[in-house]
Coordinates of all heavy atoms in Angstrom, one line a residue:
D611 N -3.8 -12.2 -13.2 CA -2.4 -12.5 -13.6 C -1.6 -11.2 -13.7 O -0.5 -11.1 -13.3 CB -2.4 -13.2 -14.9 CG -3.2 -14.5 -14.8 OD1 -3.1 -15.2 -13.8 OD2 -4.0 -14.7 -15.7
R612 N -2.3 -10.2 -14.3 CA -1.5 -8.9 -14.5 C -1.3 -8.2 -13.1 O -0.3 -7.6 -12.9 CB -2.3 -8.0 -15.5 CG -2.4 -8.8 -16.8 CD -2.3 -7.9 -18.0 NE -2.1 -6.5 -17.7 CZ -3.0 -5.6 -17.9 NH1 -4.2 -5.9 -18.4 NH2 -2.7 -4.3 -17.6
M613 N -2.3 -8.4 -12.3 CA -2.1 -7.8 -10.9 C -1.0 -8.6 -10.2 O -0.1 -8.0 -9.6 CB -3.4 -7.9 -10.1 CG -4.3 -6.7 -10.5 SD -6.0 -6.8 -9.8 CE -5.6 -6.7 -8.1
A614 N -1.0 -9.9 -10.4 CA 0.0 -10.7 -9.7 C 1.4 -10.3 -10.3 O 2.3 -10.2 -9.5 CB -0.3 -12.2 -10.0
A615 N 1.5 -10.1 -11.6 CA 2.8 -9.8 -12.2 C 3.4 -8.5 -11.5 O 4.5 -8.4 -11.1 CB 2.7 -9.6 -13.7
S616 N 2.5 -7.4 -11.4 CA 3.1 -6.2 -10.9 C 3.4 -6.4 -9.4 O 4.4 -5.8 -8.9 CB 2.2 -5.0 -11.1 OG 0.9 -5.3 -10.9
Y617 N 2.6 -7.2 -8.7 CA 2.9 -7.5 -7.3 C 4.2 -8.2 -7.1 O 5.0 -7.8 -6.3 CB 1.7 -8.3 -6.8 CG 1.9 -8.7 -5.3 CD1 1.7 -7.8 -4.3 CD2 2.2 -10.0 -5.0 CE1 1.9 -8.1 -3.0 CE2 2.4 -10.4 -3.7 CZ 2.2 -9.4 -2.7 OH 2.4 -9.8 -1.4
V618 N 4.4 -9.3 -7.9 CA 5.6 -10.1 -7.8 C 6.8 -9.2 -8.1 O 7.8 -9.3 -7.4 CB 5.5 -11.3 -8.6 CG1 6.8 -12.1 -8.5 CG2 4.4 -12.2 -8.2
N619 N 6.7 -8.4 -9.1 CA 7.8 -7.5 -9.5 C 8.2 -6.6 -8.3 O 9.4 -6.5 -8.0 CB 7.3 -6.5 -10.6 CG 8.0 -6.8 -11.9 OD1 9.2 -7.2 -11.9 ND2 7.3 -6.7 -13.0
K620 N 7.2 -6.0 -7.7 CA 7.5 -5.1 -6.6 C 8.1 -5.8 -5.4 O 9.0 -5.4 -4.8 CB 6.1 -4.5 -6.2 CG 6.2 -3.3 -5.4 CD 6.0 -2.0 -6.2 CE 6.3 -0.8 -5.3 NZ 6.4 0.4 -6.1
R621 N 7.5 -6.9 -5.1 CA 7.9 -7.6 -3.9 C 9.1 -8.5 -4.0 O 9.9 -8.6 -3.1 CB 6.7 -8.5 -3.5 CG 5.7 -7.9 -2.5 CD 6.2 -7.9 -1.1 NE 5.7 -6.9 -0.3 CZ 4.7 -7.0 0.5 NH1 4.1 -8.1 0.7 NH2 4.3 -5.9 1.2
Y622 N 9.2 -9.2 -5.1 CA 10.1 -10.3 -5.1 C 11.3 -10.2 -6.1 O 12.2 -11.0 -6.1 CB 9.4 -11.7 -5.3 CG 8.4 -11.9 -4.3 CD1 7.0 -12.0 -4.5 CD2 8.8 -12.1 -2.9 CE1 6.1 -12.2 -3.5 CE2 7.9 -12.3 -1.9 CZ 6.5 -12.4 -2.2 OH 5.6 -12.6 -1.3
S623 N 11.2 -9.2 -7.0 CA 12.2 -9.1 -8.0 C 13.6 -9.1 -7.4 O 14.5 -9.7 -8.0 CB 11.9 -8.0 -9.0 OG 11.8 -6.8 -8.4
I624 N 13.7 -8.4 -6.3 CA 15.1 -8.2 -5.7 C 15.6 -9.6 -5.3 O 16.8 -9.9 -5.4 CB 15.1 -7.2 -4.6 CG1 16.5 -6.9 -4.1 CG2 14.2 -7.5 -3.4 CD1 17.2 -6.0 -5.0
F625 N 14.7 -10.4 -4.7 CA 15.1 -11.8 -4.3 C 15.6 -12.6 -5.5 O 16.6 -13.2 -5.4 CB 13.9 -12.5 -3.7 CG 13.5 -12.0 -2.4 CD1 12.5 -11.0 -2.3 CD2 14.0 -12.6 -1.2 CE1 12.1 -10.6 -1.0 CE2 13.6 -12.2 0.1 CZ 12.6 -11.2 0.1
I626 N 14.9 -12.4 -6.6 CA 15.2 -13.2 -7.8 C 16.5 -12.7 -8.4 O 17.4 -13.5 -8.7 CB 14.1 -13.1 -8.8 CG1 12.8 -13.6 -8.2 CG2 14.4 -14.0 -10.1 CD1 11.5 -13.4 -9.1
Q627 N 16.7 -11.4 -8.4 CA 17.9 -10.8 -8.9 C 19.1 -11.3 -8.1 O 20.1 -11.7 -8.7 CB 17.8 -9.3 -8.7 CG 18.9 -8.5 -9.4 CD 18.7 -7.0 -9.1 OE1 17.6 -6.6 -8.9 NE2 19.8 -6.3 -9.2
V628 N 19.0 -11.3 -6.8 CA 20.1 -11.8 -6.0 C 20.4 -13.3 -6.2 O 21.6 -13.7 -6.4 CB 19.8 -11.6 -4.5 CG1 20.8 -12.3 -3.6 CG2 19.7 -10.1 -4.2
A629 N 19.3 -14.1 -6.4 CA 19.5 -15.5 -6.6 C 20.2 -15.8 -7.9 O 21.1 -16.6 -8.0 CB 18.2 -16.2 -6.5
V630 N 19.8 -15.1 -9.0 CA 20.3 -15.3 -10.3 C 21.8 -14.9 -10.3 O 22.7 -15.6 -10.8 CB 19.6 -14.4 -11.4 CG1 20.4 -14.5 -12.7 CG2 18.2 -14.9 -11.6
E631 N 22.1 -13.8 -9.6 CA 23.5 -13.4 -9.5 C 24.4 -14.4 -8.8 O 25.5 -14.7 -9.1 CB 23.6 -12.0 -8.9 CG 25.0 -11.4 -9.1 CD 25.0 -9.8 -9.0 OE1 23.9 -9.2 -8.9 OE2 26.1 -9.3 -8.9
E632 N 23.8 -14.8 -7.7 CA 24.5 -15.8 -6.8 C 24.8 -17.1 -7.6 O 25.9 -17.6 -7.5 CB 23.6 -16.1 -5.6 CG 24.2 -17.0 -4.5 CD 25.3 -16.2 -3.8 OE1 25.3 -15.0 -3.7 OE2 26.2 -16.9 -3.2
I633 N 23.9 -17.6 -8.3 CA 24.0 -18.9 -9.0 C 24.8 -18.8 -10.3 O 25.6 -19.6 -10.6 CB 22.6 -19.6 -9.2 CG1 21.9 -19.7 -7.9 CG2 22.8 -20.9 -9.9 CD1 22.5 -20.7 -6.9
T634 N 24.5 -17.7 -11.1 CA 25.0 -17.7 -12.4 C 26.1 -16.6 -12.6 O 26.9 -16.6 -13.6 CB 24.0 -17.3 -13.5 OG1 23.5 -16.0 -13.2 CG2 22.8 -18.2 -13.4
G635 N 26.2 -15.8 -11.6 CA 27.2 -14.7 -11.7 C 26.8 -13.6 -12.7 O 27.5 -12.7 -12.9
I636 N 25.6 -13.7 -13.2 CA 25.1 -12.7 -14.1 C 24.2 -11.6 -13.4 O 23.3 -12.0 -12.7 CB 24.2 -13.3 -15.3 CG1 25.1 -14.3 -16.0 CG2 23.7 -12.2 -16.2 CD1 24.4 -15.1 -17.0
H637 N 24.6 -10.4 -13.6 CA 23.8 -9.3 -12.9 C 22.7 -8.9 -13.9 O 22.9 -8.6 -15.0 CB 24.7 -8.1 -12.6 CG 24.0 -7.0 -12.0 ND1 23.6 -7.0 -10.6 CD2 23.5 -5.9 -12.5 CE1 22.9 -6.0 -10.4 NE2 22.8 -5.2 -11.5
C638 N 21.5 -8.9 -13.4 CA 20.4 -8.5 -14.3 C 19.3 -7.8 -13.5 O 19.3 -7.8 -12.3 CB 19.8 -9.8 -14.9 SG 19.2 -10.9 -13.6
E639 N 18.5 -7.1 -14.3 CA 17.3 -6.5 -13.8 C 16.2 -7.4 -14.0 O 16.1 -8.0 -15.1 CB 17.0 -5.2 -14.5 CG 18.0 -4.1 -14.4 CD 17.8 -3.4 -13.0 OE1 16.7 -3.2 -12.6 OE2 18.9 -3.1 -12.4
I640 N 15.2 -7.6 -13.1 CA 14.1 -8.5 -13.3 C 12.9 -7.8 -13.8 O 12.5 -6.8 -13.2 CB 13.8 -9.3 -12.0 CG1 15.1 -10.0 -11.5 CG2 12.7 -10.3 -12.2 CD1 15.6 -11.1 -12.3
N641 N 12.2 -8.4 -14.8 CA 11.0 -7.8 -15.2 C 10.0 -9.0 -15.3 O 10.2 -9.9 -16.1 CB 11.1 -7.1 -16.6 CG 9.8 -6.7 -17.2 OD1 8.9 -6.3 -16.4 ND2 9.7 -6.9 -18.5
I642 N 9.0 -8.9 -14.4 CA 8.0 -10.0 -14.5 C 6.7 -9.5 -15.1 O 6.2 -8.4 -14.8 CB 7.7 -10.5 -13.0 CG1 9.0 -11.1 -12.4 CG2 6.6 -11.5 -13.0 CD1 9.0 -11.1 -11.0
T643 N 6.2 -10.3 -16.1 CA 5.1 -9.8 -16.9 C 4.2 -10.9 -17.4 O 4.6 -12.1 -17.1 CB 5.6 -8.9 -18.0 OG1 4.5 -8.3 -18.7 CG2 6.5 -9.6 -19.0
T644 N 3.2 -10.6 -18.0 CA 2.3 -11.6 -18.6 C 2.7 -11.7 -20.1 O 3.2 -10.8 -20.7 CB 0.8 -11.3 -18.5 OG1 0.6 -10.1 -19.2 CG2 0.4 -11.2 -17.0
P645 N 2.4 -12.9 -20.7 CA 2.8 -13.1 -22.1 C 2.3 -11.9 -23.0 O 2.9 -11.5 -23.9 CB 2.1 -14.4 -22.5 CG 2.0 -15.1 -21.2 CD 1.8 -14.1 -20.2
D646 N 1.0 -11.5 -22.7 CA 0.4 -10.5 -23.5 C 1.1 -9.1 -23.4 O 1.3 -8.4 -24.4 CB -1.0 -10.3 -23.1 CG -1.9 -9.7 -24.1 OD1 -1.5 -9.9 -25.3 OD2 -2.9 -9.1 -23.8
S647 N 1.5 -8.8 -22.2 CA 2.1 -7.5 -22.0 C 3.5 -7.4 -22.7 O 4.0 -6.3 -23.1 CB 2.3 -7.2 -20.5 OG 1.2 -7.5 -19.8
V648 N 4.1 -8.6 -22.8 CA 5.5 -8.6 -23.5 C 5.4 -8.0 -24.8 O 6.2 -7.1 -25.2 CB 6.0 -10.0 -23.6 CG1 7.2 -10.1 -24.4 CG2 6.3 -10.6 -22.2
K649 N 4.3 -8.3 -25.5 CA 4.1 -7.8 -26.9 C 4.0 -6.3 -26.9 O 4.4 -5.6 -27.8 CB 2.8 -8.4 -27.5 CG 3.0 -9.9 -27.7 CD 1.7 -10.4 -28.4 CE 1.3 -11.7 -27.9 NZ -0.1 -11.9 -27.6
K650 N 3.3 -5.7 -25.9 CA 3.0 -4.3 -25.9 C 4.0 -3.4 -25.2 O 3.8 -2.3 -25.0 CB 1.6 -4.1 -25.4 CG 0.6 -4.9 -26.1 CD -0.8 -4.3 -25.9 CE -1.8 -5.0 -26.7 NZ -3.1 -4.6 -26.5
K651 N 5.0 -4.1 -24.7 CA 5.9 -3.3 -23.8 C 6.5 -2.1 -24.4 O 7.0 -2.1 -25.5 CB 7.0 -4.2 -23.2 CG 7.9 -3.5 -22.2 CD 8.8 -4.4 -21.5 CE 9.8 -3.6 -20.8 NZ 9.6 -2.2 -20.5
K652 N 6.4 -0.9 -23.7 CA 7.0 0.3 -24.2 C 8.1 0.6 -23.3 O 8.2 0.2 -22.2 CB 6.0 1.4 -24.2 CG 4.8 1.2 -25.1 CD 4.0 2.5 -25.1 CE 2.6 2.3 -25.7 NZ 1.6 2.7 -24.7
D653 N 9.1 1.4 -23.8 CA 10.2 1.8 -23.0 C 9.7 2.8 -22.0 O 8.9 3.7 -22.3 CB 11.3 2.5 -23.8 CG 12.1 1.4 -24.5 OD1 12.0 0.2 -24.2 OD2 12.7 1.8 -25.5
E654 N 10.1 2.7 -20.8 CA 9.7 3.6 -19.7 C 10.6 4.9 -19.8 O 11.8 4.8 -19.9 CB 9.8 3.0 -18.4 CG 8.7 3.4 -17.5 CD 9.0 3.0 -16.1 OE1 8.7 1.8 -15.8 OE2 9.4 3.8 -15.2
I655 N 9.9 6.0 -19.7 CA 10.6 7.3 -19.7 C 10.8 7.7 -18.2 O 9.8 7.6 -17.5 CB 9.9 8.3 -20.5 CG1 9.5 7.8 -21.9 CG2 10.7 9.6 -20.6 CD1 8.3 8.5 -22.5
K656 N 12.0 8.0 -17.9 CA 12.2 8.2 -16.5 C 11.7 9.5 -15.9 O 11.1 9.6 -14.8 CB 13.8 8.2 -16.2 CG 14.3 6.7 -16.1 CD 14.1 6.2 -14.7 CE 14.5 4.7 -14.5 NZ 13.7 3.8 -15.3
K657 N 11.8 10.6 -16.6 CA 11.4 11.9 -16.1 C 9.9 12.2 -16.1 O 9.2 11.8 -17.0 CB 12.1 13.0 -16.9 CG 13.5 13.3 -16.4 CD 13.7 14.8 -16.2 CE 14.9 15.2 -15.4 NZ 15.4 14.4 -14.4
I658 N 9.5 12.9 -15.1 CA 8.1 13.4 -15.1 C 8.0 14.5 -16.1 O 8.7 15.5 -15.9 CB 7.6 13.8 -13.7 CG1 7.6 12.7 -12.7 CG2 6.2 14.5 -13.8 CD1 7.3 13.1 -11.3
P659 N 7.2 14.4 -17.1 CA 7.2 15.5 -18.1 C 6.4 16.7 -17.6 O 5.7 16.6 -16.7 CB 6.4 14.8 -19.3 CG 5.5 13.8 -18.7 CD 6.2 13.3 -17.4
Q660 N 6.7 17.8 -18.3 CA 6.1 19.0 -18.0 C 4.6 18.9 -17.9 O 3.9 19.5 -17.1 CB 6.5 20.0 -19.1 CG 6.7 21.5 -18.7 CD 7.5 21.6 -17.4 OE1 8.4 20.8 -17.2 NE2 7.2 22.5 -16.6
A661 N 4.0 18.1 -18.8 CA 2.5 18.0 -18.9 C 1.9 17.7 -17.6 O 0.8 18.1 -17.3 CB 2.2 16.9 -19.9
A662 N 2.6 16.9 -16.8 CA 2.1 16.5 -15.5 C 1.7 17.7 -14.6 O 0.6 17.7 -14.0 CB 3.1 15.7 -14.7
Y663 N 2.4 18.7 -14.7 CA 2.1 19.9 -13.9 C 0.9 20.6 -14.4 O 0.2 21.3 -13.6 CB 3.4 20.8 -13.7 CG 4.5 20.0 -13.1 CD1 5.5 19.4 -13.9 CD2 4.5 19.8 -11.7 CE1 6.5 18.6 -13.3 CE2 5.5 19.1 -11.1 CZ 6.5 18.5 -11.9 OH 7.5 17.7 -11.3
H664 N 0.7 20.5 -15.7 CA -0.4 21.2 -16.3 C -1.8 20.7 -15.8 O -2.7 21.4 -15.8 CB -0.4 21.2 -17.8 CG 0.8 22.0 -18.3 ND1 1.3 21.8 -19.5 CD2 1.6 22.9 -17.7 CE1 2.4 22.6 -19.7 NE2 2.6 23.2 -18.5
V665 N -1.8 19.4 -15.5 CA -3.1 18.9 -15.0 C -3.2 19.0 -13.5 O -4.0 18.3 -12.9 CB -3.4 17.5 -15.5 CG1 -3.7 17.5 -17.0 CG2 -2.3 16.5 -15.2
G666 N -2.3 19.7 -12.9 CA -2.4 19.9 -11.4 C -2.0 18.7 -10.6 O -2.6 18.5 -9.5
L667 N -1.1 17.9 -11.0 CA -0.7 16.8 -10.3 C 0.3 17.1 -9.2 O 1.2 17.9 -9.4 CB -0.1 15.7 -11.2 CG -1.0 15.1 -12.2 CD1 -0.3 14.1 -13.1 CD2 -2.3 14.5 -11.6
N668 N 0.1 16.4 -8.1 CA 1.1 16.6 -7.0 C 2.3 15.8 -7.3 O 2.2 14.5 -7.5 CB 0.5 16.1 -5.7 CG 1.4 16.3 -4.5 OD1 2.6 16.3 -4.6 ND2 0.8 16.6 -3.3
P669 N 3.5 16.4 -7.5 CA 4.6 15.7 -8.0 C 5.1 14.6 -7.0 O 5.8 13.7 -7.3 CB 5.7 16.7 -8.1 CG 5.2 17.9 -7.4 CD 3.7 17.8 -7.3
R670 N 4.6 14.7 -5.7 CA 5.0 13.7 -4.8 C 4.2 12.4 -4.8 O 4.6 11.4 -4.3 CB 4.9 14.2 -3.3 CG 5.8 15.4 -3.0 CD 5.8 15.6 -1.5 NE 6.6 16.7 -1.2 CZ 6.1 17.9 -1.0 NH1 4.8 18.1 -1.1 NH2 6.9 19.0 -0.7
Y671 N 3.0 12.5 -5.4 CA 2.1 11.4 -5.4 C 2.4 10.5 -6.6 O 1.6 10.4 -7.6 CB 0.6 11.9 -5.5 CG 0.1 12.5 -4.2 CD1 -1.2 13.0 -4.2 CD2 0.9 12.7 -3.1 CE1 -1.7 13.7 -3.0 CE2 0.5 13.3 -2.0 CZ -0.8 13.8 -1.9 OH -1.3 14.4 -0.8
T672 N 3.5 9.7 -6.5 CA 3.8 8.8 -7.6 C 3.8 7.4 -7.1 O 3.8 7.2 -5.9 CB 5.3 9.1 -8.1 OG1 6.1 9.0 -7.0 CG2 5.4 10.5 -8.7
F673 N 3.9 6.4 -8.0 CA 4.0 5.0 -7.6 C 5.3 4.8 -6.8 O 5.3 4.1 -5.8 CB 4.0 4.1 -8.8 CG 2.6 3.9 -9.3 CD1 2.3 4.2 -10.6 CD2 1.6 3.3 -8.5 CE1 1.0 4.0 -11.1 CE2 0.3 3.2 -9.0 CZ 0.0 3.5 -10.4
E674 N 6.4 5.5 -7.2 CA 7.7 5.3 -6.5 C 7.5 5.7 -5.0 O 8.2 5.1 -4.2 CB 8.8 6.2 -7.1 CG 9.2 5.7 -8.5 CD 8.3 6.1 -9.6 OE1 7.4 6.9 -9.4 OE2 8.4 5.4 -10.7
N675 N 6.7 6.7 -4.7 CA 6.6 7.2 -3.4 C 5.4 6.5 -2.6 O 5.1 6.9 -1.5 CB 6.3 8.7 -3.3 CG 7.6 9.4 -3.7 OD1 8.7 8.9 -3.6 ND2 7.4 10.7 -4.2
F676 N 4.8 5.5 -3.2 CA 3.7 4.8 -2.6 C 4.2 3.5 -1.9 O 4.7 2.7 -2.6 CB 2.6 4.5 -3.6 CG 1.3 4.1 -3.0 CD1 0.4 5.0 -2.5 CD2 1.0 2.7 -2.9 CE1 -0.8 4.6 -2.0 CE2 -0.2 2.3 -2.4 CZ -1.1 3.2 -1.9

Side-chain angles (χ1 to χ4, degrees):
D611 304 313
R612 302 216 358 247
M613 281 173 61
S616 46
Y617 177 74
V618 178
N619 249 324
K620 192 102 188 165
R621 269 278 153 99
Y622 301 114
S623 56
I624 188 79
F625 288 89
I626 303 172
Q627 187 182 339
V628 169
V630 171
E631 190 157 353
E632 186 71 24
I633 302 291
T634 65
I636 297 170
H637 179 76
C638 59
E639 295 282 321
I640 304 292
N641 171 36
I642 297 157
T643 184
T644 60
D646 201 28
S647 317
V648 170
K649 291 185 219 134
K650 302 202 176 179
K651 185 170 167 15
K652 294 190 197 124
D653 285 343
E654 213 188 285
I655 307 157
K656 279 274 174 299
K657 277 230 161 330
I658 295 173
Q660 214 47 35
Y663 299 96
H664 294 163
V665 290
L667 296 181
N668 184 328
R670 293 194 186 96
Y671 290 179
T672 59
F673 282 121
E674 288 77 17
N675 289 337
F676 190 83

